[in-house]
Amino acid sequence: MNMAMNQGLKVEFQQQLGDTCLAIDVEIPASGITVLFGRSGAGKTSVINAVSGLSSPDSGIVCLNGRMLLNTQAGINVPIEQRKVGYVFQEARLFPHYTVRGNLRYGMKSHHDNSSMWHDVIDLLALEPLLARYPNALSGGEKQRVAIARALLSNPEILLMDEPLASLDLPRKREVMPFLEHLAQRINIPIVYVTHSIDELLRLAHYLVLMEQGRVIESGLVEEVWRSQAMHPWLGVNERSSLFSASIHHQWEEYGLTEVLLNQQVPVWVQHCKGVQGDALRVQIRATDVSIALDKPTNTSIRNVLAVYVAEIRHLHNDNAARYVEIRLNLAPDCELWATISEWALHELNLEVGQRLYAQIKGVSISQRDVIPFTS
């Protein structure tokens, strides 16, 4: 489903909203899902509202695929209906007096149900059984799928999603999530997704924009931003982890294990995950599941024993005054693994930056929750 030429989005603007002064400067890739992540009030929704035209910044520019939507200096402010933007809100906002088919036809340039786009979208979001129903006969998850389809059928150049799962309970979130995961694989336009959910970030983001108090404090590929210092305030000592792009290398059905390649370089065994050789994954390894040994362990039950060297040592404190240390370990070029150990272990092992040693990771500790099917 190819909906637009690929050039991407440039957003640079200033806006005063109450006591908050937004100063946004970010570029968003031309495809894939870009997650805007941050606390409430960070300015996430304000960014997509400026892109859609729902709000008008005091100064700045918004440029989509080389087309200027906003340039305050040049006096350009393209009307909402001409911006070619699809917007999915927290609430589905369907017309109650229209069937699903009627809601989907609304805003389409062509109302022909036999168009290729119609069939693609209906298939993507599995809506065929729902077309004759009215919104009051739909679950919350079904309503959101219809809302996404309606936005796509307007043939947008960009899809904006403002916390589309926030109003759903857990079963409905689980219902909708697979459809969101498939979106970026099937539509060739940028998707900007607002959330403050770590789980949604990990499952959906190709590119991550971290926001705080009206500013972009970090942006880049999600694996890069995840390991940055800017992400640490979001993660407690027991939640720190390493995030890798990976692929399936080998299935060992007899033992219920799957060998994956982290960053296409480092082989690691994990709990069995579905797929065949070459399938893309995202793998999360918690820092507390990584232990360190000075010498290569032998006769051990731990399946993953990896040669590493110490790249960085960070001292941490948590609320109960326990003293911990984060160790950044290099597995391979551009492939880093974090381990959390106690100060006691640090001193007893006499660890130093540059030291070569071994990291151990239990294969059974890396479960299906941590291995996410993913298309990069």
Side-chain angles (χ1 to χ4, degrees), residues 198-199 201-203 223 226 231 235-236 238-246 260 262 268-271 281-290 336-338 361-373:
I198 290 282
D199 181 59
L201 182 164
L202 289 172
R203 296 188 69 89
E223 293 85 2
W226 185 264
M231 197 70 205
L235 306 169
N238 294 323
E239 299 171 321
R240 302 280 170 83
S241 61
S242 306
L243 198 61
F244 301 94
S245 60
V260 302
L262 305 181
V268 168
W269 290 100
V270 304
Q271 287 189 33
L281 305 168
R282 174 173 287 158
V283 176
Q284 183 182 20
I285 300 177
R286 289 169 175 76
T288 51
D289 288 334
V290 180
E336 299 174 345
L337 176 71
W338 287 95
I361 312 165
K362 287 185 177 181
V364 294
S365 72
I366 310 173
S367 65
Q368 290 185 7
R369 173 188 172 188
D370 309 307
V371 181
I372 303 165

Side-chain angles (χ1 to χ4, degrees), residues 64-358:
L64 174 61
N65 297 329
R67 186 168 59 95
M68 199 65 72
L69 303 183
L70 174 76
N71 186 329
T72 55
Q73 189 172 3
I76 298 171
N77 190 355
V78 175
I80 294 174
E81 65 275 11
Q82 296 177 21
R83 292 199 175 198
K84 299 182 180 178
V85 167
Y87 201 128
V88 180
F89 297 88
Q90 290 186 27
E91 302 290 342
R93 302 191 182 188
L94 304 180
F95 297 115
H97 56 295
Y98 286 168
T99 63
V100 168
R101 187 186 301 275
N103 271 278
L104 295 180
R105 284 175 172 170
Y106 186 86
M108 288 180 64
K109 292 181 180 179
S110 169
H111 288 187
H112 296 300
D113 294 357
N114 61 355
S115 70
S116 61
M117 180 180 294
W118 173 273
H119 289 297
D120 286 346
V121 171
I122 297 303
D123 176 65
L124 172 63
L125 292 157
L127 296 180
E128 187 68 38
L130 309 181
L131 292 176
R133 295 190 196 174
Y134 285 87
N136 63 4
L138 302 178
S139 70
E142 289 169 341
K143 289 177 182 177
Q144 281 301 73
R145 283 157 51 198
V146 174
I148 295 167
R150 184 172 62 181
L152 291 175
L153 286 168
S154 70
N155 196 24
E157 290 186 12
I158 189 169
L159 180 63
L160 308 176
M161 309 186 79
D162 188 10
E163 302 201 55
L165 303 185
S167 64
L168 304 182
D169 58 24
L170 186 58
R172 300 291 80 76
K173 287 181 180 180
R174 289 175 175 167
E175 171 193 328
V176 177
M177 184 64 76
F179 296 99
L180 296 178
E181 289 172 335
H182 292 150
L183 268 182
Q185 302 173 31
R186 297 280 298 274
I187 65 173
N188 192 27
I189 59 174
I191 302 169
V192 183
Y193 188 101
V194 169
T195 187
H196 58 262
S197 163
I198 290 282
D199 181 59
E200 290 173 40
L201 182 164
L202 289 172
R203 296 188 69 89
L204 299 175
H206 299 84
Y207 193 85
L208 176 59
V209 177
L210 187 59
M211 298 185 62
E212 187 173 295
Q213 297 182 337
R215 304 288 193 278
V216 173
I217 59 174
E218 196 80 34
S219 65
L221 293 173
V222 65
E223 293 85 2
E224 295 172 357
V225 177
W226 185 264
R227 63 175 180 252
S228 71
Q229 282 280 71
M231 197 70 205
H232 277 205
W234 287 92
L235 306 169
V237 169
N238 294 323
E239 299 171 321
R240 302 280 170 83
S241 61
S242 306
L243 198 61
F244 301 94
S245 60
S247 62
I248 293 176
H249 184 61
H250 178 71
Q251 295 281 19
W252 202 342
E253 302 287 351
E254 181 180 357
Y255 294 113
L257 294 172
T258 300
E259 186 183 37
V260 302
L261 292 179
L262 305 181
N263 287 13
Q264 314 308 319
Q265 302 175 75
V266 180
V268 168
W269 290 100
V270 304
Q271 287 189 33
H272 176 72
C273 52
K274 294 181 180 179
V276 297
Q277 186 174 8
D279 281 358
L281 305 168
R282 174 173 287 158
V283 176
Q284 183 182 20
I285 300 177
R286 289 169 175 76
T288 51
D289 288 334
V290 180
S291 64
I292 291 173
L294 297 181
D295 302 308
K296 187 172 185 178
T298 59
N299 301 321
T300 175
S301 65
I302 296 177
R303 298 295 84 189
N304 299 308
V305 178
L306 308 170
V308 297
Y309 74 84
V310 179
E312 184 182 357
I313 298 174
R314 296 178 184 172
H315 296 265
L316 304 171
H317 302 276
N318 70 358
D319 293 339
N320 62 13
R323 298 169 64 86
Y324 296 100
V325 177
E326 277 189 333
I327 312 291
R328 179 163 59 90
L329 304 167
N330 274 23
L331 296 166
D334 299 318
C335 192
E336 299 174 345
L337 176 71
W338 287 95
T340 299
I341 64 174
S342 66
E343 289 269 8
W344 179 16
L346 174 73
H347 293 148
E348 188 169 273
L349 296 175
N350 196 27
L351 299 182
E352 298 177 346
V353 172
Q355 187 173 0
R356 296 195 173 273
L357 37 77
Y358 292 89

